[in-house]
Amino acid sequence: MSRTTPADVRVRVAEDPADREACFAVRKEVFVAEQGVDEAIEYDAFDAPGSDTVHVLAEGPDGPLGTGRLLHGPAAAGVTGGEPGVGSLGRLAVRQVARGLGVGAAVVRGLEGAAAQLGLRAVDLHAQTHALGFYERLGYQAYGPEFEDAGIGHRAMRREL
């Protein structure tokens, strides 16, 4: 990979099947290969086209660097407790070679922008406990107890938009 700088990073909504496949490849590299998440639980119904989901893709000069998804409407209800106007961020992943370049923050801001365009007033996420400080720096506040997901400790967090 060439020497990517933060200025080289571009985040956009994943529009077509090739974009979505690039998102899934990043997730597989980070969650399945690196963190050991079972591939059978990494992908779900919310990854199918036509669901109430927005995927974003962060790219650099050499290709995909990160991804994330936003659940909204009925898709988000199971995660947010059905609270109207609240979306759910998830599946945020940054390739190891791109960490420290601001890609994660750019992905989060891209998802928040998509949420605002949909008229959402807040977004929730389930942060891995080691990443709490990252999300706090982006304005998220933790709530509720720690819980385990895919064998990894998490906390719920929220940010008003």
Side-chain angles (χ1 to χ4, degrees), residues 60-153:
D62 296 324
L65 300 173
T67 188
R69 75 178 186 189
L70 165 70
L71 303 181
H72 58 92
V79 182
T80 64
E83 195 172 337
V86 179
S88 176
L89 306 188
R91 301 308 201 267
L92 291 123
V94 174
R95 295 182 61 215
Q96 194 169 31
V97 297
R99 292 182 193 150
L101 297 176
V103 174
V107 167
V108 171
R109 295 304 188 220
L111 291 167
E112 291 170 347
Q117 286 186 332
L118 291 167
L120 301 178
R121 64 172 178 74
V123 288
D124 277 6
L125 58 83
H126 292 164
Q128 292 182 7
T129 53
H130 71 85
L132 288 171
F134 166 77
Y135 291 110
E136 288 168 345
R137 287 188 296 279
L138 293 176
Y140 287 79
Q141 295 182 331
Y143 66 91
E146 184 175 325
F147 61 93
E148 194 172 289
D149 186 10
I152 302 168

Side-chain angles (χ1 to χ4, degrees), residues 1 4-16 18-20 22-23 26 56-67 93 95 98 101 103 106-107:
M1 178 171 275
T4 302
T5 68
D8 297 327
V9 177
R10 182 174 67 105
V11 177
R12 62 184 178 83
V13 171
E15 299 286 350
D16 60 38
D19 289 344
R20 291 171 82 84
C23 292
V26 171
V56 298
L57 180 63
E59 299 173 301
D62 296 324
L65 300 173
T67 188
R95 295 182 61 215
L101 297 176
V103 174
V107 167

Side-chain angles (χ1 to χ4, degrees), residues 14-87:
E15 299 286 350
D16 60 38
D19 289 344
R20 291 171 82 84
E21 287 304 315
C23 292
F24 300 154
V26 171
R27 285 171 43 187
K28 185 173 185 175
E29 180 180 326
V30 173
F31 295 127
V32 177
E34 187 180 326
Q35 295 184 353
V37 172
D38 184 344
E39 192 167 3
I41 64 170
E42 173 51 32
Y43 306 100
D44 58 26
F46 301 122
D47 289 323
S51 62
D52 293 332
T53 310
V54 176
H55 293 263
V56 298
L57 180 63
E59 299 173 301
D62 296 324
L65 300 173
T67 188
R69 75 178 186 189
L70 165 70
L71 303 181
H72 58 92
V79 182
T80 64
E83 195 172 337
V86 179

